[in-house]
Amino acid sequence: MNRAPSSVWRRPTHFFAFGLGSGTVPWAPGTFGTLAAIPFYWMMADLPLGWYLGIVLVAFVIGVWLCDKTSHDLGVHDHSGIVWDEFVGYWITMAAVPFSWEAALWGFIVFRIFDVFKPWPIRWADRRVAGGFGIMIDDVMAGIYAWSTLHLWYWLH
């Protein structure tokens, strides 16, 4: 576990990379980062799908830069407090899922399972892809796995 630096509260890039401060929690920052993403999903859920995906794409591109800059500034490749990637991964999970608290909870659980256990090729990417893109891509992949799982479940029920 890496202690959250005080720069999170002074530097906007660090503040956003640390999920608006949610990544400063001393234990399970990824879980808290994902929780912090839920209200934003709630605000975006009723947008047309194209707008929703556009926002997620912009958040991903900005996230690559935020995570790269913050990890470089801190001298730690993937500081545990950098959770912008969890925001984007959760939003991918929830794409085209109508908002309900039950759906938000199931999306949270399924995304966290894929993010924590990192089935192939997520674990491969997590270990071999560097920089801000490397920090972001494993959560994007976990989000795609979780999205597929949620939509399969909804389709079967």
Side-chain angles (χ1 to χ4, degrees), residues 6 14 19 29 35-36 45 86 101 109 111 114 130-131 141 145 150 156:
S6 61
H14 295 193
L35 284 171
E86 269 80 10
W101 288 107
I109 291 168
F111 172 70
F114 283 112
M141 294 167 78
Y145 275 37
L150 270 186
L156 291 173

Side-chain angles (χ1 to χ4, degrees), residues 80-142:
S80 61
I82 295 175
V83 295
W84 187 256
D85 49 334
E86 269 80 10
F87 276 53
V88 173
Y90 179 75
W91 295 338
I92 290 168
T93 299
M94 301 309 294
V97 176
F99 184 83
S100 72
W101 288 107
E102 180 183 73
L105 175 63
W106 280 113
F108 170 83
I109 291 168
V110 174
F111 172 70
R112 291 306 300 149
I113 288 169
F114 283 112
D115 190 32
V116 169
F117 291 104
K118 300 184 185 317
W120 188 89
I122 300 170
R123 184 175 308 278
W124 179 89
D126 184 50
R127 291 181 177 165
R128 290 185 175 78
V129 183
F133 184 79
I135 293 170
M136 294 292 297
I137 196 63
D138 67 302
D139 290 83
V140 166
M141 294 167 78

Side-chain angles (χ1 to χ4, degrees), residues 28-118:
T31 297
F32 280 90
T34 307
L35 284 171
I38 293 173
F40 296 96
Y41 158 63
W42 182 27
M43 290 187 284
M44 298 186 311
D46 288 333
L47 291 173
L49 185 58
W51 279 96
Y52 184 97
L53 294 175
I55 290 169
V56 174
L57 177 62
V58 168
F60 169 76
V61 171
I62 290 170
V64 169
W65 177 77
L66 285 172
C67 294
D68 190 63
K69 172 88 173 111
T70 301
S71 67
H72 183 265
D73 290 350
L74 300 178
V76 178
H77 164 61
D78 191 359
H79 190 289
S80 61
I82 295 175
V83 295
W84 187 256
D85 49 334
E86 269 80 10
F87 276 53
V88 173
Y90 179 75
W91 295 338
I92 290 168
T93 299
M94 301 309 294
V97 176
F99 184 83
S100 72
W101 288 107
E102 180 183 73
L105 175 63
W106 280 113
F108 170 83
I109 291 168
V110 174
F111 172 70
R112 291 306 300 149
I113 288 169
F114 283 112
D115 190 32
V116 169
F117 291 104
K118 300 184 185 317

